[in-house]
Amino acid sequence: MPVLVCTILSSGGPAMPFGKGVGLVVAVALLLLTGQLVTEMFLAHPAVCLLLVVWLLLIGQYAAIRGANALLIVILFIAILALPLLGMDSMELVDVFVGALIFSVLMVVLICWLAHGIIYDADLEAGEKPAAPVPDKSESFRQALIKTLLVAPLLLAFFFFQLTSDLLILVFVALLIQMPSAAIGIKGAIATLTANALGGLAAVVCYQALVMAPSPVMLGLLVFGVSLLFGKKIFADSPTASLYSTGLNTVIVLLGATTATFGDEAAAAMWVRLLQIGVACLYIVAALSLAADWLQPGSDKSGADDSAAPVTA
């Protein structure tokens, strides 16, 4: 939930209208229920289930390139990638996960409304940022197909070996590879790796501070301080702004894994999550380096003027 709140607030836009907020929650519920339906109906037939997941992944990549809502893309990838793998362990776990995530998104919308109500910013209300250039339909489909093929080998490995404990890697790869920086190949991938390393370093510093003074107050102060530090950079008119947005999301993911456990388990969770994010970024670097020649012409057609800023996962 904190990552979703961070994603919405760091976009820099005005508060969502009531109708848009309700529509967002409904859309999230439909996407999750679609993933749940695919899992329950086709998981017993792995080949069919895989084909459906890849098809939906292609649709999600295409929609992201065409400028669809970033939060809905995140939810779609969670629904089609995470739910079938969770279903291999327990269908009851899928039901609990879907219900909890729908409730979390509802809380995210309410928290974002509250944040905009408490901290009013006239500059935000003046209007949203202009939309980025969008490739034509044929170019969008070409890019989406390439990115789907880059994710497919990892997806197959997760299905065949049932790597549910490392699910974060698969979801991160699917999210990172569809962001604008991926369209410029290896340069954008390295920027993404740098951003996540920055967030990982900040999370390690926060964790060490929590080890010295383990308390909810200390956690709150650390999150508040890191959010202010990164937020100042996120809303600055700088080419590196999205780097800090990605870094802040990484901090939240890592701290969330840490504070959910205690003692030695907390330390292990921190390093495991950091390793998983690192593996996802390295996979992106390797995949995009192989596909750089295929993706580069597309970036020229779709607005290569975009900066090589890293993604916000």
Side-chain angles (χ1 to χ4, degrees), residues 60-74:
Q61 298 286 2
Y62 179 82
I65 294 171
R66 299 293 296 170
N69 184 287
L71 179 59
L72 292 181
I73 297 298
V74 173

Side-chain angles (χ1 to χ4, degrees), residues 16 88 175 243 247:
M16 286 184 291
M88 293 179 181
L175 291 173
L243 184 151

